[in-house]
Amino acid sequence: MNKKILVTGGLGYIGSHTVVELQNNGFEVVVIDDLSNSEEFVHEKIEQITNKKLEYHLIDLKDQEAVDEFFSHQDIAGVIHFAAHKAVGESVEKPLMYYRNNIVGLLNLLEAARDQNIENFIFSSSCTVYGQADELPIDENAPLKKAESPYGKTKQMGEEILEDFSETYKKNVIALRYFNPIGAHPTALIGELPKGIPNNLIPFVTQTAAGIREQLSVFGDDYPTRDGTAIRDYIYVMDLAKAHVMALQRLLDGKNKKNYEIFNLGTGTGSTVLEVIQAFEKANKVKLKYKITERRAGDITAAYADKTKAEKELGWKPETNLEESLRTAWEWQKTLK
Ligand code: WQD
């Protein structure tokens, strides 16, 4: 039977774009998703983009029986694990839900991977594990700071668990630490689908431009930055998807140098919130209504990646600039009701 790649959370934002990239690169993919932060229609949209059937199972990773049952009928060569709750603010309100979902889900998956002798594992991690780094740009050796939220802690714990998993069971694991994923597929058939009021900047920007939100609040303009607003590294989602395929290929080809490897995925360039607004207005010829408000609790001043390691080891080069990424975000928003 053909070896398959399991993508958990494969109908979600970064997961769906990665599934498209995997299928377009000839991989046979199977998706698990519990639809807690995605919609079923994404499944046929992916098939529409790649013109390939996509095997999909509605499974909650917290349901160990369902996970074991799934794996007993599959022949999986590698797993790319996206399925997790990811809203920083919500994690502060509901920490136990976040630990149960993100950690128990991961443990069920890893126990099944161990028992089924699955050798290769890619983990969706985040630059949030660095907190406010002492030095910029941030490289993979930067010390991890105490995470500001239960969400961030589940990413740090996930990495610790995977490091031990890779050592003890001699598995090949890569943790990918994303900076700020943005944008949508060039076909505008898939993109970011935040449920309720968006936490992240870009969906709030596009919903404001679409008149769904009254105006954008810029969380603070008193940061020690060039224009007073906070700096982030906004990485186009398809560039991110490409990195996942390259990381998986590295493991399948046995090119990894250690059992457990970490890569930062960012453009290496920081943009302030006001620069994002200006880039969005310029790219899409729209005017954005915004006001400056208080800082958001837990926010850091600045984060942007040192992408050298991913470039050198994965041969990955993010090619899409901020304006182009924001154009795809707007094209996608305009397709939504
Ligand atoms: C970006 C900047 C805000 C909304 C988090 C997670 C990270 C990753 C992405 C989960 C900040 C400012 C935002 C708004 C604003 N994973 N902002 N007005 O906080 O950098 O990272 O999301 O999705 O792990 O930590 O991303 O998009 O929330 O904020 O001014 O309405 O935009 O203060 O400076 P963040 P974000």
Side-chain angles (χ1 to χ4, degrees):
M1 194 202 307
N2 219 358
K3 288 246 174 198
K4 290 181 196 174
I5 303 303
L6 167 60
V7 180
T8 73
L11 299 188
Y13 174 37
I14 302 163
S16 55
H17 290 78
T18 301
V19 169
V20 164
E21 203 54 29
L22 284 166
Q23 287 195 315
N24 284 344
N25 279 273
F27 287 96
E28 192 183 349
V29 179
V30 54
V31 164
I32 281 180
D33 202 300
D34 68 358
L35 297 180
S36 61
N37 195 23
S38 51
E39 310 281 346
E40 179 120 37
F41 79 77
V42 174
H43 180 214
E44 57 256 24
K45 293 294 182 192
I46 293 171
E47 292 184 327
Q48 201 179 328
I49 293 170
T50 63
N51 201 17
K52 290 188 178 133
K53 289 305 285 169
L54 173 64
E55 184 184 350
Y56 158 57
H57 298 263
L58 175 63
I59 293 176
D60 180 342
L61 288 178
K62 296 191 291 297
D63 178 349
Q64 182 158 33
E65 236 173 82
V67 171
D68 293 347
E69 167 65 15
F70 166 82
F71 275 97
S72 63
H73 300 100
Q74 296 286 341
D75 186 10
I76 301 286
V79 179
I80 305 184
H81 178 47
F82 293 101
H85 292 331
K86 51 154 245 180
V88 172
E90 184 187 49
S91 78
V92 175
E93 284 157 38
K94 301 175 183 169
L96 297 184
M97 180 181 97
Y98 267 67
Y99 289 121
R100 174 161 293 281
N101 190 70
N102 293 7
I103 302 301
V104 170
L106 175 63
L107 292 174
N108 287 343
L109 192 62
L110 294 181
E111 285 170 349
R114 174 200 60 196
D115 301 346
Q116 300 285 332
N117 302 313
I118 295 170
E119 300 302 319
N120 306 300
F121 208 92
I122 308 282
F123 178 60
S124 163
S125 190
S126 165
C127 65
T128 205
V129 301
Y130 295 113
Q132 177 57 69
D134 300 326
E135 282 172 41
L136 294 170
I138 305 171
D139 71 27
E140 289 80 356
N141 301 315
L144 304 193
K145 298 276 181 74
K146 185 174 174 342
E148 298 277 343
S149 69
Y151 157 75
K153 287 178 189 166
T154 64
K155 289 300 178 187
Q156 287 181 340
M157 291 173 193
E159 289 194 4
E160 301 281 339
I161 291 166
L162 281 157
E163 187 165 19
D164 293 339
F165 171 76
S166 68
E167 287 309 310
T168 304
Y169 303 109
K170 297 292 165 262
K171 300 293 186 184
N172 306 306
V173 177
I174 289 179
L176 297 174
R177 291 175 178 167
Y178 317 151
F179 281 67
N180 288 59
I182 65 168
H185 192 267
T187 60
L189 289 172
I190 55 173
E192 196 164 1
L193 267 177
K195 293 211 166 181
I197 301 177
N199 300 293
N200 295 123
L201 177 64
I202 302 312
F204 209 106
V205 163
T206 58
Q207 287 190 13
T208 303
I212 299 168
R213 306 290 161 200
E214 173 58 25
Q215 68 176 4
L216 170 74
S217 298
V218 173
F219 295 147
D221 68 347
D222 58 349
Y223 285 98
T225 64
R226 47 188 179 266
D227 64 17
T229 62
I231 292 173
R232 297 291 186 276
D233 182 337
Y234 296 96
I235 175 80
Y236 179 50
V237 67
M238 286 315 292
D239 286 333
L240 211 50
K242 288 179 172 63
H244 285 75
V245 177
M246 292 164 132
L248 176 71
Q249 200 59 62
R250 175 182 176 86
L251 296 186
L252 293 173
D253 296 346
K255 293 223 171 76
N256 50 320
K257 292 178 178 157
K258 291 190 298 184
N259 275 91
Y260 179 67
E261 294 182 314
I262 296 168
F263 294 97
N264 284 349
L265 297 180
T267 66
T269 304
S271 304
T272 70
V273 178
L274 290 179
E275 287 165 353
V276 169
I277 292 171
Q278 284 141 24
F280 182 83
E281 291 181 328
K282 183 166 170 238
N284 298 306
K285 299 184 182 35
V286 294
K287 202 84 193 95
L288 207 60
K289 257 187 88 187
Y290 67 89
K291 64 180 176 184
I292 307 290
T293 64
E294 288 305 300
R295 294 185 180 190
R296 178 173 64 180
D299 274 355
I300 58 169
T301 300
Y304 50 92
D306 177 334
K307 62 183 189 311
T308 318
K309 187 180 174 190
E311 283 181 329
K312 197 161 138 278
E313 295 294 332
L314 298 182
W316 176 71
K317 270 195 107 41
E319 294 133 10
T320 316
N321 67 25
L322 183 62
E323 279 191 32
E324 178 53 22
S325 307
L326 292 169
R327 204 190 54 70
T328 65
W330 181 231
E331 290 309 312
W332 159 248
Q333 177 70 53
K334 287 188 285 186
T335 71
L336 299 175
K337 299 287 160 288

